[in-house]
Amino acid sequence: MPTIKQFQVTFDCAEPERVARFWCEVLGYVVPPPPEGFATWDDFNRSQAPEDQGSWFACTDPEGVGPRLFFQRVPEGKVAKNRVHLDVRVGTGLRGEERLAALEAECARLIPLGAVRVRLLYDGNDSCIVMQDIEGNEFCLD
């Protein structure tokens, strides 16, 4: 039997802190305290070599239930559809128009944060909205 009980989801991105703060807003996550010995994240970053400053950032579920999200800077841009994506579960247990209304309301909340609506998938009963975060990573409102 596996003994691993926790995992984190890692995003490759150009601007780790910016993308992390976006996902904090989407999920209600928080930025964890800076590493021990540093009063702020800015203090921590200034202590790093110039090429390492701002190279990663993280956010966590304040209730400790959801996985930690880790964002790491990579030199290349996004060039293809994600093979793995997050489903942001806002319509769990809802069906039809009620589900669609919940998804549309969440979509309307996320667009001003920088999210982009890609398309609606709706068959009259089940639905999801495919979206992109501020660096073009796909996710679904489900």
Side-chain angles (χ1 to χ4, degrees), residues 47-124:
S47 76
Q48 303 297 298
E51 64 273 10
D52 294 333
Q53 292 178 2
S55 65
W56 64 271
F57 211 78
C59 59
T60 59
D61 179 350
E63 297 180 17
V65 177
R68 177 179 189 239
L69 302 182
F70 185 81
F71 303 86
Q72 62 188 6
R73 185 174 57 221
V74 296
E76 67 277 357
K78 183 177 176 303
V79 295
K81 183 181 183 308
N82 298 16
R83 297 284 308 257
V84 175
H85 67 268
L86 299 183
D87 283 345
V88 178
R89 309 298 310 271
V90 296
T92 304
L94 302 176
R95 291 283 197 223
E97 293 298 319
E98 186 180 20
R99 178 180 174 84
L100 185 58
L103 298 180
E104 292 290 358
E106 184 64 5
C107 180
R109 182 182 80 85
L110 299 181
I111 288 174
L113 300 175
V116 174
R117 181 188 181 118
V118 177
R119 70 182 168 282
L120 168 67
L121 303 173
Y122 182 54
D123 67 7

